[in-house]
Amino acid sequence: MADPTVPAELAVPVDFDARYGAGIDRGVSLGGGGLYFVAWLVGYLHGMARAGLDLGDADRMVGTSAGSLVATSLTGGHLARLYAEVSLLSKAPKLVAALAPAGDLAPSQQRALDRFLGAGDAEPGTVRAIGHAALAAATPSPASMTRRLAVVVAERRWPSDALAVTCVDAYSGERCVVTRAAGVPVARAVAASSAVPGIFPPQPVGDRRCMDGGVSGTGTHPDLLAGAGRAVVLSLTDGHDMVQGTMTVAPGGTADGIARLEASGTRVFLRTPDGVDPGELMAPSAVPRALTMGARQAVEDRVELGRFWGN
């Protein structure tokens, strides 16, 4: 995010009043949601591209966790290749290995994951406790995850100045936003954004160790687009049926973020999958269904979204 309204430091406070999106016309946020949501996003965005609507030309592309991988491929012009890989997931073990856990978790891993799954809010103490457990977990080495994701994203260089990848400092609990200006390899930024506590290791980002961008009370970080002309937000859920907080997202938190984004003057197009089973987010067997669902919803939305985007 090169515009002067965004702090140059990695740590960027969550702040709608800062209007981080002021001065840009079109923004996109691709949220988190595991392997399942990677497939849905790829199906949806590939369907839109086939209809002549390329969201990769956004002025700002915010990617979180699963969305960071897809956002990197989209801004780098490699969405079609990623679609082909996801379509043949059973024949793409590198993609599965990069995004889905294998085998039983060690006790220290399970503790960190349970802290994350059971977190009903994103209070600083809650996020720091999750981060400290993630740092203590006996996960594979950070380098192994980055190497696997480097193969998947197929990007040696940061693909676009528009790309902003979110993650969270596992020690301090601060929300971080990684852009080209940080000088961090894009595969490492994606690995940090996708580092689910307990499953994958926090990644070195500058002098920090960073974990999944969703450990922050939001999977989409809409404040990074506040003040933009228009924003497309693709989220795993809108939270309308949430009665108990989980994974640091409180009931009503997603809707509140969208409402605050709209209150900043940004027009918003929000879309979520038609159906999600939380137990299948990391299941390769659910990928074909998610891919098909995303493609179908793209067909349903292409006229409305085309008008919204200005095509």
Side-chain angles (χ1 to χ4, degrees), residues 3-298:
D3 57 270
T5 62
V6 179
E9 297 82 5
L10 278 172
V12 180
V14 177
D15 186 356
F16 283 88
D17 293 334
R19 295 175 60 83
Y20 295 131
I24 68 173
D25 179 22
R26 301 188 295 186
V28 172
S29 174
L30 306 183
L35 192 58
Y36 182 93
F37 199 50
V38 168
W40 185 89
L41 285 171
V42 168
Y44 189 84
L45 294 167
H46 185 261
M48 285 299 173
R50 291 186 63 185
L53 180 58
D54 180 12
L55 297 185
D57 63 0
D59 302 302
R60 178 168 300 154
M61 177 74 63
V62 179
T64 299
S65 199
S68 70
L69 169 62
V70 180
T72 300
S73 293
L74 183 61
T75 55
H78 301 303
L79 183 65
R81 183 194 55 78
L82 183 59
Y83 176 82
E85 288 190 0
V86 173
S87 299
L88 298 173
L89 191 62
S90 62
K91 300 179 181 178
K94 290 179 180 178
L95 182 59
V96 176
L99 296 175
D104 296 331
L105 299 180
S108 61
Q109 291 180 277
Q110 193 64 56
R111 284 195 296 270
L113 181 60
D114 288 345
R115 276 191 176 272
F116 176 44
L117 296 178
D121 60 67
E123 292 297 318
T126 301
V127 175
R128 285 195 294 269
I130 296 169
H132 296 174
L135 288 167
T139 53
S141 72
S144 65
M145 184 183 182
T146 299
R147 285 194 299 269
R148 290 170 178 172
L149 278 169
V151 174
V152 177
V153 300
E155 291 284 356
R156 293 183 178 273
R157 300 179 179 178
W158 201 270
S160 170
D161 286 332
L163 179 63
V165 174
T166 68
C167 53
V168 174
D169 186 313
Y171 180 78
S172 70
E174 296 169 286
R175 193 266 303 273
C176 295
V177 182
V178 189
T179 64
R180 189 201 298 271
V184 175
V186 70
R188 186 181 301 163
V190 172
S193 188
S194 306
V196 178
I199 296 180
F200 299 117
Q203 291 286 326
V205 178
D207 192 38
R208 300 173 183 267
R209 296 297 180 270
C210 292
M211 60 182 173
D212 196 296
V215 191
S216 54
T218 176
T220 55
H221 299 267
D223 69 299
L224 296 176
L225 298 176
R230 72 199 93 172
V232 174
V233 180
L234 303 183
S235 175
L236 180 68
T237 176
D238 60 12
H240 74 278
D241 56 352
M242 181 182 287
V243 296
Q244 182 175 346
T246 180
M247 295 186 289
T248 73
V249 180
T254 301
D256 178 67
I258 296 299
R260 296 184 70 183
L261 177 57
E262 292 177 326
S264 75
T266 301
R267 294 166 52 215
V268 179
F269 181 97
L270 171 67
R271 186 60 71 237
T272 66
D274 280 344
V276 175
D277 180 348
E280 294 186 331
L281 296 184
M282 302 301 285
S285 60
V287 164
R289 183 168 68 258
L291 196 68
T292 300
M293 184 189 303
R296 174 179 54 76
Q297 289 185 250

